Every structure is written in structure tokens, then in C-alpha cells.
Amino acid sequence: MPVPAAVTVEGKNMHDRSVEERLKDFNEVDGGMSVDEAMGEAERCLQCKKPLCVKGCPVNIDIPSFIREIAAGNFRRSAVIIKEQNMLPAICGRVCPQETQCEGQCLLGIKDKPIAIGALERFIADWERTNGAVIPQKKSPRGHRVAVVGAGPSGLTAASELARLGYHVTLFESLHAAGGVLMYGIPAFRLPKSIVKAEIEAVMSLGVELKLNHLVGRSVPVKELLNYDAVFIGTGAGLPYFMGIPGENLPGVYSANEFLTRINMMHADKFPEYDTPVKRGNKVVVAGGGNVAMDAARVARRLGGDVTLVYRRRDEDLPARKAEIARAKEEGVKFVCCTNPVKVLGEQAVTGVECVKMEMCDLDASGRPEPAPVAGSEFTIEADVFIGAIGQGPNPLLINEIPALKRGKRGNIIVDENGRTSIRNVFAGGDVATGAATVILAMGNAKNAAHAIDRMFREE
Amino acid sequence: MKGLYRVERKEQLADKIYQMWIRAPHVAHHAQAGQFVMIRLDEKGERIPLTISATDGDSFRVIFMAVGKTTTHLAAFKAGDHVSDVAGPLGKPSDVKKYGTCVLVGGGVGSANLPIIARAAKALGNRVIGIIGARNASMVIVEDEMKNACDEFHLATDDGSKGFHGFAADVLKQVMAQEKVDAVWIIGPAIMMKVTAECTRAAGIKTFVSLNPIMVDGTGMCGSCRVTVGGETKFACVDGPEFDAHKVDFAALMQRLRIYTGEEKVSLERYQAKHACACGCDCGGEKHA
């Protein structure tokens, strides 16, 4: 896998703040590029005639063009090009796995470092935010009303695309703030909340009507929902999985969703100034190896805990982004791989986590070795907080209220390549359709679905 | 972007117990018996669940006891003030259908949530018997509402200052001795629900309790409210809040209710220090604001 430009071979990002400094707060770790760095980096772009990077981008940003404008110093023009395809560039520039998408395709990556496309996208989005927002053009209004359920990455994208196509969009969100996982899940040190809010405001400025505190299926009955001319469901994968091990309901055991929501959305790190408390934990064990596990572990470090991350496969199998794994390690998170929790210990509260060593057996369907417990290898890690970050499934609440909606084995909504469900005017995208994936895939799905909705109306 | 929800009316019903009507059409128009709202008072507030005890047009009612920081703060809200966020109606509605004879048993502030169930049960043709238990006569709430909604009504006080001298559970046993009971709802403090539910276990009477674990989002996303029912983990916010009383692990519920006891004390004391009631009238600082 090619190494992104801003990352040295040791995996260290040169724009990162020092570990000592960043462990003291929740401010952003990566400081981003300077003007000179951005223009210099943009100069390196080969401006390929058939750009592979664009093929690697789920939302089809015209990457060579926006980079060309950076090299020429035309930052506003560059922002216009990005915004044409993506209303959330400051978010995507930060949290997209560019190394497996645009940057992973870059020809320069074969011999040297690929262009730091993510960092450049972020640079332009940050420039735009401080120099006046670029609001893309809207088509003339059309009569149809579309309901978008869930204001996370897919819902925000569907809403902005549909609004730009001229439709009247009502965006329903059950929480008290829009953003979904961008607000409750991803910590501020990776994605500052002021940036999320600014990009959401840009989406709203397209004329999207946002209804907070509305849980569709409850505050808005399904009958009312299906009265809209079209519906896009982007309710995400908000249902946390638990491991099903003894002791999991003890005080001090959290799903990563709960732990992160308490901090990111409710600001429990600032308790009692903010009302919501959280158990900080002197010794914290996090189970899981994905980005959510890294986020939970790094938050726990910032709350002052001694943090051990246990993962059932090998270090090289960790599914999280390499850069985030490197940062978690820098920040002192201890990684114990080939290890699985089997029991949370304690009577009134967590006192430890009993784990078992895992050995790697035959390759499974994902092409990774299947882990199996080693008999008699049980050992205990002392802990007062245990956080399970072993994945999330689609939130079943709304899906269960619409029996006609065909669903897969894991409770996901079944859609075709255009996001169309088994109900004619109902579309879905993002994690509720794909299962837990990335922000950018959810946005790509939503964009396809929005254009499919547009085609449906035009063919009527 | 912010939804603001107006407090239409507020009255004090008993010591630290208040009823409040809040305007929120998206809640009021769709709420059914047994459902709840998640409420957040301001930018720095926590999200707490409160049961919807009645609706009227665009408004819904909550009856709550000012025990923690947020409920104490809410008690200081006046008509015309706005709370920042109200999400709902949440949770599954009470499983009200034609059972025959339904007995509704309330303890303390939990009694507030019985009339809406009583009215729903009555509307479906059930014979409805209400039993309210309170510490003493001054702590009795929703008595008239229950008398109106029920075919038969009993009151019990721990000190005998009004009605039957004893617990609501004792009255439930008397009612069961006199007639066939087909379904029972018990709503009150966890320990009261645990004890009272034992009255109907042997007879195998369908019995519901409404659980009140700590919640964060209230929509099934965090698992904070997980409870053990019949050996399985359930989320009270989406699988409940009402469950089969005879299958609930009350010890586990009570343990999880105590998770933040220390933090809750810190939060309340901090609030009270900032909003001290100068005259000792227990107004939560409201009169001196």
C-alpha cells in the first residue's frame, strides 16, 4: 500500500501535534498543510489524461482539476470544482481512507509517494470556510417533495444533491444535532465539530428543511413518510453489537457508541460543566481493531486512562486506517493482538477482563486467517472500564415499521445499484444498506440514489 | 436549526413533584400510552427520559420528581420558558388490549403514568382498577384523574394518613382475592416493582412493569439502557420500556441505575450552589431568579 505524502516511512504525519500536547485536549491532531506546502504538493500532480484517482473516488471529484487550480493559486476555483461533487470536503479530507481510494490509485505512488489528495482537499475546504463558503448552483425548483431520514453522511449527501436538483427536501434527524456519526462517533481530535457544523450549514443553505428530534417511525408515522413523493433512508448502522460474554452489563462496560456519544456529542469530558457523566477509567480495555476501536482507545487516553486494546486477529490484520493505528500507538495505547475477551470480571463494577489467546487457522471468507481460541490460555487484564468496539448493525427501528421493505440477513435494507429498495419510491444508502462501512461510501451511495430519484421523477 | 419547545403550564403537585405541559406537536400528535420523550434542557444539558403522561392538542404532559440535577432544573422552568430539545414519542406503546380486568398499580411519582394507560384500557372495554401508593397523604398525585379513568380506585399510604394503611401491593393482593384479574401494570421505583410483581407471579397473571434505566440517545444507539429480561439483554428504549414483570432481572436494573450516583450528587450540588433558594421555599431558585 502506498504511503500518503504527508506521512513519513515511520508512519508519522509531519503535521501532527506532539503527543504530549495532544493528549491534553481534544483539539485536532493533524494541523494540515500551509499554503506553500499545498501549492508545492499540487505541483507534483501529473495531471493524467485518464485520471485513475477519480475512479478511486466514490463521489467522483474531478481531482486533477481541483489540484491544478491549487497549483495556480486559484483556491476559490478549486473549491467550486470540489463542491460540484462533494458538499462535505472538510470532512472527507479528514476521514476518508484516501490510501485505499484516490491516493491508492495515484501513479506517483508506484515509485514514490502519491499526491496527498486528502490533505489537499482538506486544505481547500479549510480555506473556503475562512474565506467565504462556495454554494453550488441549484436547478430551478421542481414540485416533488422528498423525505430524507437520518442526517448523517448519506442523508446529508442525499439532501444536498436533491436540493440542488430542485426538489423540496425535508431532512429528519432523531438526535438534537445533525451529523450522525460525524457528531456522535468520530472524536473532535480527528474531526472538529465546528467543521462538521459549518459543512452542515452549507447543506442547509441549499434550502434543505431540517427537522431535529424527529424519530421517523415514531414522531413521523410511516404512513406520513410514505406520502412523500420519494423517500431516502440513511439511518446508518447505529445499533451497537455486544459480545454476549458474562459481565457485560456491569457498570463500567460501554459500547463504543455509548462511550463516544457521551464524549463527542454530550461533552462528558467537561463534566460537571456539562451534565452528562462518563466513567473515565484508570485502566481501560478496548475490544476491537477498527477505526471505532481506535477512536474509543484514543478518547480514553485523553481522559487519562491507561489503555489496552485487545484484538482477536494479528497486528497486520487490524482493519483500522494505518495512520490512526500509528497515532493510537504513539499516544500510548497498548495493542494486545491475537486476544479475545471472554468475561468481564467484577461484582459491583468492572475489575478486570478475562481474555483468551487466539491462534490463526485457515483463511476465512474475507481472506484473513480465522482466529480460534487456544485452550487453557486464559489470562486477566486489570481494568475498571471495558469498551466493546466490535461493530454495529443497522438500527432496526424504522425498518421494522415498514414490513414491505426487503432486508438482508444482517438486518440491512436490500437495494439495487441505484439504491432502490423493494418499495418503488423508497431508496436507501449508507450503512443501513451496506452494513458498517465508511463515510465516503455512504456518500457515494446517497449520491447515486439522489440521481436515481431524479430520473424516476423525470420518467414519470 | 434549533428546535425550541415552550413550557405551556407548570404546577406543583406534591413535595418535589411537578406536572408540566410542553408544546411539541411531533410528540403530542403521535404519543400513545407507555411512551416517553428524551428531553434536553439546554446546550450543556444531559438527555433524560420522561414518560408522557397525557396529551392535549399540540402539547404533552410530564410529571416528574425533582431529584437529580436535570429534574431540579426542569422544575425551575416557568410557563413561557423553552426547553432546548424534546425527542419522541419513543419506546413501544403499552400492550393495551381487551384483557378483561386490568389492575394498574402505581408507586410514588410512577403513579403519574397510570391514567393514560387506564384511559386506553378502558376505551378497549376492560374493567379497570387503579391502585395508587404514596408515602403519605400529601404525596398522593393524579388521584382525581385515576378516579375518573377507572371503574374502581384504591389509595394506600405508607403511614395510613389517607386510604389504606400499607403498600399498594397489599391492596393488589386484596383485589386479587376478590376477583379474577387478567392483566396488571406496575409502575414505580424499581424496588417497588420488584416486590409488587411477586404478588402476581404464582397466579401467572400477565404483568407489565415500565423500566427506567439510564439512557443517552433513547433510540437504540448506545445500549446504556440495557436490561436483562428472561436471560436476554434488551434495550429498554426500543424493546421496552414495558416488559414482562416476571422476567425482569431487577437486581441488574438497580445496579445499573446506581452507576453514576456519585456524579449525580456532584452535578446536583453544583446546580444548587449556583441556584440557591434563598428563603428555603424549595423553589429551585425560581422565585429569586
Side-chain angles (χ1 to χ4, degrees):
Chain A
M1 192 180 293
V3 183
V7 178
T8 64
V9 268
E10 295 81 36
K12 171 121 184 74
N13 185 321
M14 43 191 205
H15 298 112
D16 283 4
R17 294 191 297 140
S18 75
V19 171
E20 305 73 57
E21 201 186 314
R22 69 202 206 210
L23 280 178
K24 287 181 198 149
D25 60 41
F26 281 76
N27 297 338
E28 190 163 22
V29 166
D30 183 345
M33 282 180 167
S34 67
V35 172
D36 288 347
E37 284 170 328
M39 290 178 72
E41 180 67 7
E43 290 275 357
R44 293 206 305 131
C45 177
L46 298 174
Q47 293 291 319
C48 302
K49 285 276 179 299
K50 291 181 181 169
L52 294 172
C53 51
V54 180
K55 284 194 178 152
C57 175
V59 295
N60 267 313
I61 295 174
D62 185 352
I63 294 166
S65 295
F66 96 74
I67 292 180
R68 189 183 61 233
E69 297 299 343
I70 296 177
N74 298 329
F75 300 152
R76 180 161 298 277
R77 180 71 207 127
S78 182
V80 170
I81 293 166
I82 294 175
K83 279 282 182 81
E84 189 56 33
Q85 301 297 336
N86 180 5
M87 283 296 288
L88 310 175
I91 294 167
C92 291
R94 288 172 167 83
V95 303
C96 274
Q98 290 97 6
E99 60 278 12
T100 60
Q101 298 182 152
C102 51
E103 292 175 15
Q105 304 285 326
C106 179
L107 285 182
L108 285 175
I110 297 169
K111 286 192 175 164
D112 188 14
K113 289 183 292 191
I115 295 286
I117 301 169
L120 289 174
E121 182 185 27
R122 169 188 162 166
F123 168 79
I124 285 300
D126 290 354
W127 181 90
E128 182 211 350
R129 205 174 48 257
T130 44
N131 290 276
V134 170
I135 304 298
Q137 296 244 302
K138 279 179 68 173
K139 292 194 175 166
S140 51
R142 297 170 59 82
H144 302 86
R145 294 161 63 243
V146 185
V148 175
V149 189
S154 71
L156 287 167
T157 303
S160 62
E161 287 295 313
L162 288 160
R164 288 184 61 195
L165 290 163
Y167 300 104
H168 184 271
V169 180
T170 307
L171 176 59
F172 294 104
E173 168 57 46
S174 66
L175 290 172
H176 59 259
V181 73
L182 307 169
M183 287 301 284
Y184 74 74
I186 303 177
F189 54 78
R190 247 183 358 111
L191 182 61
K193 299 310 143 200
S194 58
I195 289 171
V196 179
K197 285 177 189 161
E199 297 213 319
I200 289 170
E201 265 172 42
V203 171
M204 295 312 136
S205 71
L206 293 167
V208 172
E209 181 192 11
L210 175 64
K211 288 195 175 282
L212 297 173
N213 296 313
H214 279 61
L215 180 64
V216 175
R218 293 270 187 264
S219 320
V220 182
V222 166
K223 211 178 141 194
E224 215 171 283
L225 178 73
L226 298 179
N227 271 340
Y228 282 83
D229 299 311
V231 175
F232 176 83
I233 300 175
T235 46
L239 176 77
Y241 292 144
F242 284 88
M243 303 186 79
I245 59 177
E248 215 171 8
N249 292 342
L250 277 170
V253 180
Y254 291 105
S255 70
N257 264 16
E258 179 182 355
F259 185 71
L260 292 171
T261 301
R262 283 180 181 272
I263 304 290
N264 299 338
M265 189 133 195
M266 308 308 298
H267 307 289
D269 53 303
K270 298 196 191 107
F271 176 87
E273 184 196 344
Y274 283 75
D275 291 344
T276 304
V278 72
K279 291 291 171 197
R280 285 174 170 255
N282 292 314
K283 289 181 182 295
V284 180
V285 171
V286 178
N291 289 319
V292 177
M294 299 305 139
D295 286 345
R298 295 173 68 196
V299 166
R301 281 292 293 136
R302 280 161 177 75
L303 296 181
D306 173 77
V307 181
T308 305
L309 182 141
V310 296
Y311 175 56
R312 64 199 188 115
R313 296 177 195 264
R314 300 164 303 178
D315 194 82
E316 62 264 39
D317 299 320
L318 284 162
R321 292 184 75 186
K322 295 283 173 280
E324 303 307 336
I325 296 168
R327 285 170 173 145
K329 286 181 177 173
E330 279 172 22
E331 290 169 9
V333 175
K334 280 169 256 170
F335 283 62
V336 180
C337 291
C338 298
T339 298
N340 209 27
V342 289
K343 188 179 185 184
V344 186
L345 306 169
E347 289 295 325
Q348 295 304 317
V350 178
T351 58
V353 181
E354 188 178 308
C355 298
V356 64
K357 295 305 284 182
M358 305 293 277
E359 60 183 350
M360 299 303 119
C361 306
D362 295 340
L363 299 187
D364 67 7
S366 69
R368 297 178 298 179
E370 181 78 41
V374 178
S377 68
E378 288 80 1
F379 68 104
T380 297
I381 305 176
E382 200 187 317
D384 50 6
V385 164
F386 175 70
I387 302 167
I390 56 154
Q392 305 90 234
N395 191 328
L397 198 136
L398 175 60
I399 306 176
N400 288 343
E401 296 280 319
I402 315 176
L405 216 47
K406 270 202 188 129
R407 66 207 74 185
K409 277 184 202 146
R410 308 189 71 174
N412 55 307
I413 301 177
I414 293 180
V415 293
D416 68 11
E417 68 279 9
N418 292 316
R420 184 173 277 204
T421 69
S422 52
I423 303 175
R424 195 191 63 86
N425 63 338
V426 178
F427 294 71
D431 286 0
V432 75
T434 57
T438 59
V439 166
I440 190 67
L441 280 180
M443 292 172 59
N445 288 169
K447 217 171 146 178
N448 284 342
H451 289 276
I453 290 170
D454 182 46
R455 284 196 301 278
M456 176 183 79
F457 288 146
R458 288 175 187 280
E459 282 160 12
E460 269 172 4
Chain B
M1 267 170 58
K2 182 118 299 289
L4 283 173
Y5 304 91
R6 188 177 191 271
V7 175
E8 299 289 347
R9 292 207 309 273
K10 186 191 83 174
E11 285 116 34
Q12 185 162 5
L13 300 181
D15 182 30
K16 289 187 191 298
I17 299 180
Y18 300 83
Q19 76 169 346
M20 189 176 275
W21 287 88
I22 299 173
R23 190 178 180 281
H26 68 295
V27 174
H29 293 178
H30 307 294
Q32 297 175 61
Q35 291 185 303
F36 65 93
V37 291
M38 292 302 295
I39 198 161
R40 191 179 75 128
L41 302 186
D42 57 30
E43 278 304 310
K44 294 184 176 178
E46 61 181 337
R47 296 167 62 95
I48 63 159
L50 289 173
T51 305
I52 300 162
S53 68
T55 59
D56 182 10
D58 288 343
S59 300
F60 68 93
R61 181 184 69 176
V62 287
I63 296 180
F64 60 93
M65 189 169 215
V67 282
K69 187 264 162 181
T70 300
T71 45
T72 302
H73 186 184
L74 183 60
F77 275 61
K78 304 179 286 288
D81 290 344
H82 291 77
V83 297
S84 179
D85 298 282
V86 176
L90 303 174
K92 289 184 175 164
S94 303
D95 189 11
V96 180
K97 51 190 179 200
K98 180 76 195 282
Y99 291 102
T101 298
C102 300
V103 183
L104 278 47
V105 189
V109 72
S111 303
N113 307 319
L114 297 182
I116 191 169
I117 301 173
R119 287 188 286 267
K122 186 74 187 151
L124 291 176
N126 292 288
R127 170 171 155 75
V128 181
I129 301 171
I131 306 169
I132 280 181
R135 245 183 10 248
N136 57 51
S138 76
M139 295 300 284
V140 175
I141 56 167
V142 298
E143 183 181 359
D144 291 342
E145 218 178 321
M146 282 299 278
K147 279 180 179 162
N148 285 332
C150 300
D151 296 287
E152 190 180 313
F153 176 75
H154 302 273
L155 186 65
T157 52
D158 298 357
D159 67 353
S161 52
K162 193 171 181 184
F164 176 79
H165 186 172
F167 296 126
D170 302 325
V171 181
L172 172 62
K173 284 182 206 158
Q174 289 172 11
V175 170
M176 287 168 59
Q178 277 160 19
E179 66 181 287
K180 182 171 169 291
V181 172
D182 301 293
V184 174
W185 271 264
I186 306 166
I187 306 181
I191 185 70
M192 172 267 180
M193 293 194 285
K194 176 182 157 77
V195 170
T196 311
E198 288 311 310
C199 304
T200 57
R201 188 189 292 276
I205 299 168
K206 183 95 179 157
T207 303
F208 301 97
V209 282
S210 179
L211 305 187
N212 57 340
I214 296 164
M215 295 184 185
V216 182
D217 63 280
T219 62
M221 281 177 33
C222 80
S224 167
C225 67
R226 57 198 190 275
V227 290
T228 309
V229 182
E232 280 179 55
T233 295
K234 299 278 184 192
F235 290 0
C237 66
V238 288
D239 300 320
E242 292 187 2
F243 292 100
D244 182 335
H246 301 141
K247 291 184 178 168
V248 171
D249 182 341
F250 283 101
L253 172 72
M254 287 186 269
Q255 186 179 56
R256 287 193 64 78
L257 280 169
R258 288 192 299 266
I259 297 177
Y260 301 106
T261 308
E263 288 86 350
E264 282 159 9
K265 192 163 173 277
V266 167
S267 202
L268 179 61
E269 284 173 355
R270 187 173 179 274
Y271 176 82
Q272 285 169 333
K274 274 173 92 174
H275 302 267
C277 168
C279 63
C281 67
D282 201 26
C283 69
E286 179 189 340
K287 287 183 186 167
H288 321 292

